[in-house]
Amino acid sequence: MVTWVFLAAAAVAVVFACLAVVVRNPILNVLSLVIVFFAMAAIFALLGMDFLAAIQVIVYSGAILVLFLFVVMLLNIPRLGRLGSGRPFQALLGSLLAAFLGGLLLAAAALLPAGLGAVLPGAAAGGTAVPIGRALISSHLFVFEFITLLLAAAIVGAVYLGERELQ
Amino acid sequence: MTAELVPIPFTWVLALSAVLFAIGTLGVMLRRNAIAIFLSLEVMLNSANLAFAAFAYRFGAVHVAAAAALDGQIFIFFVIAVAAAEATVGLALFIALYRLRETIDVDRFNILRW
Amino acid sequence: MGTEVVVIALKLAFGLAVLLTTVPIMVWVERRGSALIQDRLGPNRVGPLGLLQPVVDVIKLVTKENFLPSRAQAPIYLLAPVFAIIIALSTFIAVPIGPDDGLTLFGRPVDGLLVAPHLDIGLLYIFAVASLGVYPLVLAGWASANKFSMHGGIRASAQAISYELAMTLAVVGVLMGAGSLRLDEIVLQQSGTWLGMLPRWNVVVQPLGALIFVVAVFAETNRLPFDLPEAEAELVAGYHTEYSSLSFAAFYMSEYIHMTVAAALATTLFFGGWTLPGIELPFGGWPQALLGMTVFGLKVALFLWFFVWVRWTLPRFRFDQLMALGWKVMLPLAVLNFLWVGVVLGLGLMEEGPW
């Protein structure tokens, strides 16, 4: 049962990731990506990472992709060119690189000793939110603070870029 | 710490992440529109997250001491936070560029100053 | 296994029935309420006090043509209202509506009839689903191939992101006190009294957080004073300009369902859910559950009336004012709120949650 759900989610993720890259309508690209992230949230949940599944939907689908939609609609971006419609040499090189990287990673996955994973015991009793929260404000406090700084800097940068004309 | 086994081989998750990564690379390399490139970049980021999830799921509960068991998941959390910051700045940048050139086709931004 | 399925089916049917009956009642309350506020009569021809007006409205909507604009993106145009309904309905399932410890049904104990069972990420689930609520609006606006609709969609997306931040930050204060994401534990933590006499509701402990949450919820449900995506004075009808018949009804219904869920959420998070302060019930089981549900229902009804009251009292914001309010006022105040909760917790004025 779990295996089948995983396979279905994986198939959905791959198909809609392809659509997100291939389809020429920018809004449909963003929508396909929403579905990809949903499938990934489902996979996180299957692996016992319920907190991450929720965060994935809240941050990616609920905020980042809405921002993308906003910008696509605001700039009124026309239909994209056909995939690889630039210089043929570039397209060839790009596809080769993608195939090479994908093949490399697939080979690595195939060469690793297969093994079943395990869900953390925390996930069974009380979810992973509490242990992750604890870790964030104790052992990973420095990184956590650094991320807040980064987000603040990002807001300032976005406001600066949005407010004035670049000279 | 006893952990609950789930019947999904972790290499499957890794393979999925590899496929998604390749698709994302293809998009980044072949698209000419900045927003489409950025979208493909998000696919790549997420495939990396999936790889983290795979390893956290395989080794987090079984082999490593309890304190480090959540490290993989926390890393994904941070990647998502960084992706949010990146999207904010990146999209603001595209809007600024669009104001200058009325296009965000990356081929049109081939001179260093304007 | 058997009881579990029955319990889940019962809960789903119950939630659906409650939400779907709330919609016509709210339509009536809104129309009569607006009439009351504006010193008019309101609908009073169909049935006693005009109570059958919603029924007639529905019949009118059903018999109309479902119009498809010629340049619309047909599949997305038609699916957007469906998604609106689905998303609106699926949030309510995680809201606890009454105490259900020790309940039995047909002689067997039932777990999670009134409370979502073992949903450890409870609040995060609600936020996750609610954050998707903006997609139908944006998609409807885009797929209609109409400039007014498009504008409505763009406004909806910007507004949703901006106010989600303030809403989430306001809830952080509640979570700090409760130490749990489970909504039933958040409710239980609010029973009893605070400092000896005040009800231990989060609205008393952190009034600022409650205020921000309620204001942000108005923006998230696109209710006046924040109904910029469908501002009829500027955008005809915003994102649903082109919609008619049942597609329009779906958007209309989803707005009221969102309102009901928002009221239920505000009740749960800040107004003590099904609890009444300082009252220890001498009985458990079904009487307790029914009483709890009644209390919860009354609180939600009061909130819904508040929604109507505000809508017909306050004028609409301008879009730049809306953004300025969201980012420059609500966000800093939300941060201030959780500093305040930290001080209260640090001084030991409030017992900390279990974690």
Side-chain angles (χ1 to χ4, degrees), chain A residues 25 27-28 31 34 38 50-51 54 57-58 61-63 65-67 69-70 73-74 76 126-127 129-130 133-134 137, chain C residues 73 76 120-121 124-125 127-129 131-132 134-135 138-139 141-142 150 153-154 157-158 160-161 164 179 181 327 354-355:
Chain A
N25 187 328
I27 299 237
L28 292 185
L31 288 184
V34 174
F38 245 97
D50 50 357
F51 177 70
V57 175
I58 294 176
S61 311
L65 286 181
V66 177
L67 204 59
L69 265 188
F70 173 72
M73 286 169 76
L74 186 72
N76 209 355
V130 169
R134 272 215 193 92
I137 56 169
Chain C
Q73 310 271 340
I76 291 180
D120 294 316
I121 53 165
L124 285 180
Y125 165 82
F127 279 146
V129 180
S131 69
L132 300 177
V134 66
Y135 280 104
V138 178
L139 293 181
W142 171 70
M150 180 89 160
I154 293 179
S157 59
I161 300 180
E164 220 171 80
L181 287 168
W327 287 97
W355 82 300

Side-chain angles (χ1 to χ4, degrees), chain A residues 113-135:
Chain A
L116 295 180
V119 171
L120 285 179
T128 49
V130 169
I132 286 185
R134 272 215 193 92

Side-chain angles (χ1 to χ4, degrees), chain A:
Chain A
M1 175 65 187
V2 175
T3 320
W4 286 110
V5 176
F6 171 78
L7 287 177
V12 168
V14 171
V15 168
F16 279 92
C18 288
L19 284 182
V21 170
V22 173
V23 171
R24 296 172 57 187
N25 187 328
I27 299 237
L28 292 185
N29 283 344
V30 179
L31 288 184
S32 323
L33 214 56
V34 174
I35 298 174
V36 174
F37 291 161
F38 245 97
M40 290 200 38
I43 291 171
F44 284 150
L46 281 182
L47 300 183
M49 306 170 180
D50 50 357
F51 177 70
L52 282 183
I55 290 293
Q56 170 93 2
V57 175
I58 294 176
V59 178
Y60 264 117
S61 311
I64 295 182
L65 286 181
V66 177
L67 204 59
F68 269 98
L69 265 188
F70 173 72
V71 173
V72 168
M73 286 169 76
L74 186 72
L75 302 187
N76 209 355
I77 293 175
R79 278 175 71 81
L80 307 173
R82 237 174 3 90
L83 195 65
S85 58
R87 298 178 199 87
F89 177 66
Q90 234 175 4
L92 180 74
L93 216 61
S95 334
L96 277 181
L97 180 69
F100 172 70
L101 284 177
L104 203 68
L105 288 171
L106 270 180
L111 287 177
L112 276 172
L116 295 180
V119 171
L120 285 179
T128 49
V130 169
I132 286 185
R134 272 215 193 92
L136 281 181
I137 56 169
S138 56
S139 52
H140 296 72
L141 183 63
F142 178 72
V143 195
F144 188 61
E145 294 288 339
F146 195 76
I147 287 285
T148 59
L149 208 62
L150 181 72
L151 285 170
I155 294 179
V156 173
V159 169
Y160 177 79
L161 285 172
E163 282 277 308
R164 51 169 66 196
E165 298 288 319
L166 290 182
Q167 294 301 317

Side-chain angles (χ1 to χ4, degrees), chain B residues 21-83:
Chain B
F21 191 83
I23 295 171
T25 318
L26 199 70
V28 172
M29 290 292 153
L30 266 54
R31 278 276 172 236
R32 302 266 56 93
N33 184 297
I35 288 207
I37 291 177
F38 206 7
L39 276 177
S40 310
L41 211 63
E42 295 290 339
V43 175
M44 290 171 76
L45 262 177
N46 270 274
S47 80
N49 270 355
L50 210 52
F52 270 120
F55 284 110
Y57 156 72
R58 174 70 181 87
F59 301 109
V62 187
H63 290 303
V64 187
L70 283 166
D71 277 2
Q73 296 190 40
I74 288 172
F75 220 109
I76 300 177
F77 178 82
F78 285 140
V79 171
I80 293 179
V82 172

Side-chain angles (χ1 to χ4, degrees), chain C residues 44-116:
Chain C
N44 63 349
R45 297 286 111 179
V46 197
L49 297 173
L51 268 172
L52 293 178
Q53 187 68 36
V55 183
V56 188
D57 285 347
V58 169
I59 293 173
K60 186 192 110 184
L61 276 174
V62 170
T63 49
K64 287 209 164 184
E65 180 198 357
N66 199 347
F67 178 70
L68 181 67
S70 60
R71 294 187 61 202
Q73 310 271 340
I76 291 180
Y77 177 84
L78 295 175
L79 278 176
V82 179
F83 285 138
I85 285 282
I86 293 176
I87 290 167
L89 284 176
S90 43
T91 33
F92 191 69
I93 197 70
V95 179
I97 50 177
D100 69 347
D101 37 300
L103 276 194
T104 54
L105 195 65
F106 307 125
R108 304 173 73 171
V110 289
D111 183 22
L113 180 64
L114 305 177
V115 173

